[in-house]
Amino acid sequence: MNDFPDGFAHYPIYFDADQQQALIEAVRAGVKQAPFFISHMPRTGTPMSVALSNFGTLGWMSDKDQGYRYVPHHPATGKPWAPIPKLLLDLWDDVTGYPVQPECCLINWYKEGTKMGAHIDNDEQDAKAPVVSISLGDPAMFRMGGPQRGGPTKGIKLFSGDVVVMAGASRFCYHSVSKIFYGESALVPKGGRINLTMRRVNLP
Ligand code: SIN
Ligand code: FE2
């Protein structure tokens, strides 16, 4: 029994300390090739507080004029994103059993005082594929709501190494990150929390 929407799953400490370290090394290498950047809200151009980069053949971004979208190249350097690390693709296969792999792994870096407002991941053509998300570094308060904005939410504290899967009904439910417990983990060299989110974008 849980109060989360159908299809929501939480795997506490799926990745052990060594694997978390390996993932942080992979992120460091990935952002050497494709540095963290700031995206902006569609239309208003308000900057988002969470810095982002991507792994994969498609990376997610947003700017004032063209809004949310997937692009094969980093918007500032024009270079491709680094490939999705094998450890993450193996995770995808393990927890989703989905027959095709994700093209995108978003890298979100939550620094001190940052959060992420309620949203649905809704920029993908493949609506059947789950979303798989990994937490590294400082813990976060993740809030899961329902299909309507502003409804009741249920909070869950996510720790480094935790994995969350949003499949089924939960795939199209609002979710947010309301707080980062800044400084509770020393895993991220420059501090804060890294969230990795894998998504299948195109129809198989
Ligand atoms: C997101 O929904 O894009 C990020 C979730 C998280 O940081 O855990
Ligand atoms: Fe999301």
Side-chain angles (χ1 to χ4, degrees):
M1 259 305 277
N2 69 33
D3 299 322
F4 290 109
D6 279 356
F8 178 89
H10 175 221
Y11 299 81
I13 327 227
Y14 180 97
F15 289 117
D16 67 20
D18 287 348
Q19 291 170 317
Q20 294 172 36
Q21 196 62 51
L23 288 171
I24 287 294
E25 291 307 321
V27 168
R28 290 179 73 171
V31 301
K32 213 174 234 183
Q33 176 167 335
F36 281 113
F37 64 100
I38 295 296
S39 270
H40 297 80
M41 298 297 286
R43 293 180 297 281
T44 61
T46 307
M48 299 181 182
S49 66
V50 179
L52 66 88
S53 182
N54 292 274
F55 294 115
T57 53
L58 291 173
W60 186 89
M61 66 165 289
S62 174
D63 60 18
K64 183 172 188 284
D65 295 333
Q66 294 181 67
Y68 305 142
R69 64 193 189 280
Y70 284 96
V71 290
H73 302 114
H74 188 286
T77 68
K79 294 199 181 129
W81 315 101
I84 301 178
K86 183 173 184 306
L87 201 51
L88 295 177
L89 293 175
D90 289 348
L91 163 70
W92 173 273
D93 291 343
D94 181 31
V95 297
T96 70
Y98 199 67
V100 286
Q101 290 193 314
E103 307 97 317
C104 175
C105 179
L106 176 61
I107 308 170
N108 285 309
W109 182 17
Y110 295 79
K111 300 179 207 180
E112 189 166 14
T114 59
K115 45 175 110 173
M116 187 175 289
H119 66 277
I120 293 180
D121 297 8
N122 207 8
D123 304 312
E124 299 74 37
Q125 290 170 18
D126 188 343
K128 290 209 178 89
V131 169
V132 176
S133 144
I134 301 98
S135 294
L136 295 168
D138 288 337
M141 183 53 70
F142 181 83
R143 302 209 70 88
M144 194 73 215
Q148 249 88 51
R149 186 185 283 283
T153 65
K154 185 173 158 71
I156 180 172
K157 190 170 176 181
L158 297 179
F159 291 87
S160 195
D162 284 10
V163 167
V164 158
V165 178
M166 290 184 279
S170 72
R171 173 69 180 79
F172 293 98
C173 287
Y174 279 90
H175 54 276
S176 63
V177 174
S178 58
K179 181 181 161 89
I180 300 297
F181 296 83
Y182 191 78
E184 285 192 14
S185 159
L187 183 71
V188 177
K190 290 185 182 161
R193 171 180 186 252
I194 298 282
N195 165 262
L196 304 171
T197 293
M198 287 188 280
R199 304 191 194 114
R200 176 74 204 177
V201 179
N202 294 317
L203 288 169

